[in-house]
Amino acid sequence: MSTSGGGGVNAVAYLVVVFAVFRGVQSVTDTRALILRPRRSALVLWTLVAVPSAAQFVVPDIYDALSRQPDLVRNEYQVWRLITSAYVQDGGVFGTVTNLIILYIVAALAVPLWGRLHTGLLFVFGTVLFNVPAVYFYPSEGGGNSGATFFLATSILALLVVRDRSRTVVAASAAAVVVGVVLIAIGDAHGTAFLGGVVVGAVVAVAGGPAAGKRGSAQAPT
């Protein structure tokens, strides 16, 4: 299973899911307003990832200290890397810019719907869920927020399905699930992030997710 996400097919799959999330949210609220005027907590999440991701190009030791290193996690018990690896990038300048753009969009859409607490917790949980297999089952060194971002993205769709169940939302969620299955079939670990976000998002929403997930309430302050 690969965590690198390289290849044209993979890139198209990621864009399909981002578009599906955008369409799903668009069916219940004004996505343009959310993206152009993101909540403060969405900007905080983005900044927490963007600053070390940019700084690593000036100070490479930042990447060495925070990235996913399976041997160090397993043998030296540096378990913080299961979380901190989402705050540095292994895809060069292009990969870093792409990851940060997608994170900005997803965070801007997530916070008004999930609320800042749920958004932050889901991002961290998605990071760990993506990294644990990459450390213990198919060891892979690296860094990047894509797994956590895609987990958060599809959790939004799960929340909308529980709260809304419109045809657009259900279709968008189904597309994300299909893409997740396809990616797993071709050995792309990001498929687990897509499916994990749907499952965990649905569980959290059913268990008593935020009222902001209801139709029209995304405009309420968060």
Side-chain angles (χ1 to χ4, degrees):
M1 192 78 71
S2 172
T3 60
S4 63
V9 174
N10 309 66
V12 170
Y14 305 156
L15 290 176
V16 167
V17 173
V18 172
F19 179 73
V21 175
F22 184 86
R23 286 289 295 121
V25 177
Q26 190 177 48
S27 71
V28 299
T29 191
D30 184 357
T31 50
R32 183 174 180 272
L34 297 182
I35 291 172
L36 292 180
R37 296 189 297 275
R39 305 294 170 84
R40 284 191 298 271
S41 47
L43 292 177
V44 168
L45 174 59
W46 184 85
T47 301
L48 287 173
V49 177
V51 169
S53 294
Q56 74 178 59
F57 293 104
V58 179
V59 186
D61 286 346
I62 293 175
Y63 179 85
D64 296 335
L66 302 181
S67 61
R68 184 179 61 247
Q69 303 291 336
D71 288 342
L72 294 179
V73 175
R74 293 193 306 252
N75 302 325
E76 302 295 331
Y77 306 107
Q78 297 184 10
V79 293
W80 65 81
R81 294 177 183 272
L82 295 175
I83 295 176
T84 59
S85 62
Y87 299 85
V88 290
Q89 313 290 330
D90 63 6
V93 174
F94 178 78
T96 299
V97 171
T98 301
N99 277 354
L100 292 178
I101 289 174
I102 296 176
L103 174 60
Y104 175 88
I105 294 171
V106 171
L109 299 179
V111 169
L113 294 168
W114 271 122
R116 60 185 175 222
L117 178 60
H118 282 80
T119 296
L121 291 176
L122 286 166
F123 184 83
V124 172
F125 188 83
T127 302
V128 175
L129 189 68
F130 185 75
N131 282 327
V132 166
V135 167
Y136 294 101
F137 299 111
Y138 41 86
S140 173
E141 296 183 1
N145 61 278
S146 57
T149 301
F150 290 141
F151 179 93
L152 178 60
T154 55
S155 77
I156 297 172
L157 290 176
L159 175 65
L160 291 177
V161 167
V162 172
R163 300 298 196 205
D164 187 78
R165 296 190 182 91
S166 70
R167 182 176 302 178
T168 299
V169 167
V170 171
S173 301
V177 170
V178 170
V179 169
V181 171
V182 169
L183 287 178
I184 290 174
I186 64 176
D188 187 334
H190 291 86
T192 63
F194 289 139
L195 296 184
V198 170
V199 173
V200 175
V203 170
V204 174
V206 170
K214 298 177 182 177
R215 176 182 289 274
S217 59
Q219 302 304 321
T222 301

